[in-house]
Amino acid sequence: AVCRKLVKKHPRYLDNSRVKVEQLRRLVGMLITAQQQNSGVTTGASSAGAGTGADDANADLANLGDLQRVDEDVLAAAKAKMGVEFDKNFVGPGHPDYVYDKAVDFGEPESDNEWDDE
């Protein structure tokens, strides 16, 4: 979400012909890590590896604890990191894997449940 907003706000400088999306994601990840280090938050991620894997990002977010009870700057950094992960996994119009109105059949339920018997 952060990368997409940056591209929308500054398309003249950040369009795909000038800057690759992965470069922008790495830059945002490094900025988030630097901000966290300056504010005294340690998540166990180095600036070189920031935002490189979903497992690393999820572990970093889990280390922050309850996001309902953290400072505003820590919350903003966590939201930015979640936005980077969202952008990595986002499949929208224009993406080669995008399917309009995708329907998936999950088969019969494995266990009995009452809430979807209708």
Side-chain angles (χ1 to χ4, degrees), residues 2 32 35-36 39 41 43 61 64-83:
V2 173
I32 290 168
Q35 176 65 31
Q36 288 173 341
S39 65
V41 175
T43 61
L61 290 171
L64 291 175
D66 186 2
L67 294 177
Q68 294 283 342
R69 302 180 195 283
V70 297
D71 294 333
E72 290 295 319
D73 56 338
V74 175
L75 180 62
K79 284 184 176 183
K81 191 169 277 194
M82 287 186 274

Side-chain angles (χ1 to χ4, degrees), residues 14-25:
L14 298 175
D15 67 347
N16 285 334
S17 65
R18 294 177 187 257
V19 178
K20 294 179 184 175
V21 175
E22 189 56 39
Q23 287 177 312
L24 192 56
R25 286 183 185 137

Side-chain angles (χ1 to χ4, degrees), residues 88-102:
K88 274 200 249 181
N89 299 321
F90 180 72
V91 177
H95 190 280
D97 295 333
Y98 176 74
V99 177
Y100 177 77
D101 198 22
K102 183 176 182 175

